[in-house]
Amino acid sequence: MGKTRYVLDGIVPILQTPFGEDGRVDPLSLHRLVDHAIQAGAVGVIYPAVASEVHKLTPAERQDTVEVVLDHVRGRVPVIVGVST
């Protein structure tokens, strides 16, 4: 499999993880964050990362939220997936 090079000439924000009042991840708010970043001109997004409160997520939540982001971005911009623990 070959490597793909992306030109990321612009802002590539780290998306925050939105939590509801019950402390659970709020996927609809994550959709809104993705849309807001892209509409504001982001040329890519990073998720999850330290600024995403990744340490508060279980491995399953990390996988699920990455899938939420990838599905919602739908190829509109590149997604850089963080792999920190």
Side-chain angles (χ1 to χ4, degrees):
M1 179 181 261
K3 292 184 181 182
T4 301
R5 299 193 91 186
Y6 295 100
V7 176
L8 299 174
D9 188 15
I11 296 171
V12 183
I14 296 171
L15 299 175
Q16 303 300 304
T17 301
F19 295 96
E21 292 198 22
D22 60 0
R24 296 166 73 150
V25 175
D26 179 353
L28 294 178
S29 290
L30 190 51
H31 287 177
R32 288 192 293 274
L33 286 170
V34 166
D35 290 338
H36 178 73
I38 293 170
Q39 290 168 0
V43 298
V45 295
I46 300 169
Y47 187 85
V50 174
S52 305
E53 302 289 347
V54 70
H55 66 282
K56 292 184 177 181
L57 302 175
T58 67
E61 288 173 321
R62 292 176 192 182
Q63 179 73 33
D64 291 345
T65 54
V66 166
E67 289 177 12
V68 166
V69 170
L70 291 171
D71 289 344
H72 197 68
V73 167
R74 295 183 307 273
R76 294 180 283 171
V77 297
V79 176
I80 299 168
V81 176
V83 294
S84 60
T85 61

